[in-house]
Amino acid sequence: MKIKRNDPCTCGSGKKFKKCCGFERTISNFDDDYPIQFFGRLSPSSVPVCMVSNITVMNKSSIESDHNAEYPLGSWFVSFGGCGNIEISEALTRPEDGFDIAKERLETKNIVFTQY
């Protein structure tokens, strides 16, 4: 039986699988149709200031058409801005690259990234 992202973790921590033992497995699994997204906040309770997401079958065509760029399946990007004014990075190979770009662009190392 496959463990789903929102199921309780099998280690017994009480956390969701995606927030515990499944974290590393989840960010390296590019076969899922749904994008994996990390929201960056300046504090745990603030609104997101950026998002790091991977390219999947589900979002590839809309990302490419909206931003006039090509992104390979499984690549990552970081986005900034709001409705109608979204800027996105070039294709990245790892989500950590997006975290680094966000910290540099926002001129702070104090960004809290949480997986959605």
Side-chain angles (χ1 to χ4, degrees):
M1 180 176 180
K2 183 178 177 183
I3 299 170
K4 295 180 182 168
R5 295 177 59 222
N6 288 317
D7 288 344
C9 190
T10 56
C11 75
S13 68
K15 295 180 181 180
K16 289 183 180 182
F17 181 69
K18 69 181 180 183
K19 301 273 187 178
C20 195
C21 295
F23 178 77
E24 287 299 322
R25 197 198 78 172
T26 302
I27 64 173
S28 64
N29 182 358
F30 301 122
D31 296 330
D32 293 338
D33 287 339
Y34 292 95
I36 299 165
Q37 299 173 329
F38 295 91
F39 289 102
R41 294 176 167 83
L42 297 176
S43 71
S45 60
S46 70
V47 297
V49 292
C50 62
M51 180 184 73
V52 176
S53 183
N54 69 326
I55 299 293
T56 66
V57 172
M58 178 179 253
N59 66 0
K60 181 175 171 49
S61 63
S62 65
I63 295 292
E64 290 180 338
S65 65
D66 289 350
H67 300 284
N68 197 25
E70 285 191 37
Y71 290 86
L73 285 174
S75 64
W76 292 82
F77 66 93
V78 59
S79 62
F80 302 92
C83 298
N85 189 27
I86 297 175
E87 299 174 43
I88 64 172
S89 70
E90 71 279 355
L92 308 168
T93 56
R94 306 173 315 132
E96 293 84 0
D97 297 334
F99 303 157
D100 292 341
I101 289 171
K103 290 174 183 177
E104 183 178 315
R105 163 98 186 258
L106 298 169
E107 298 179 349
T108 181
K109 294 185 185 279
N110 297 327
I111 300 176
V112 178
F113 288 95
T114 53
Q115 186 177 351
Y116 175 75

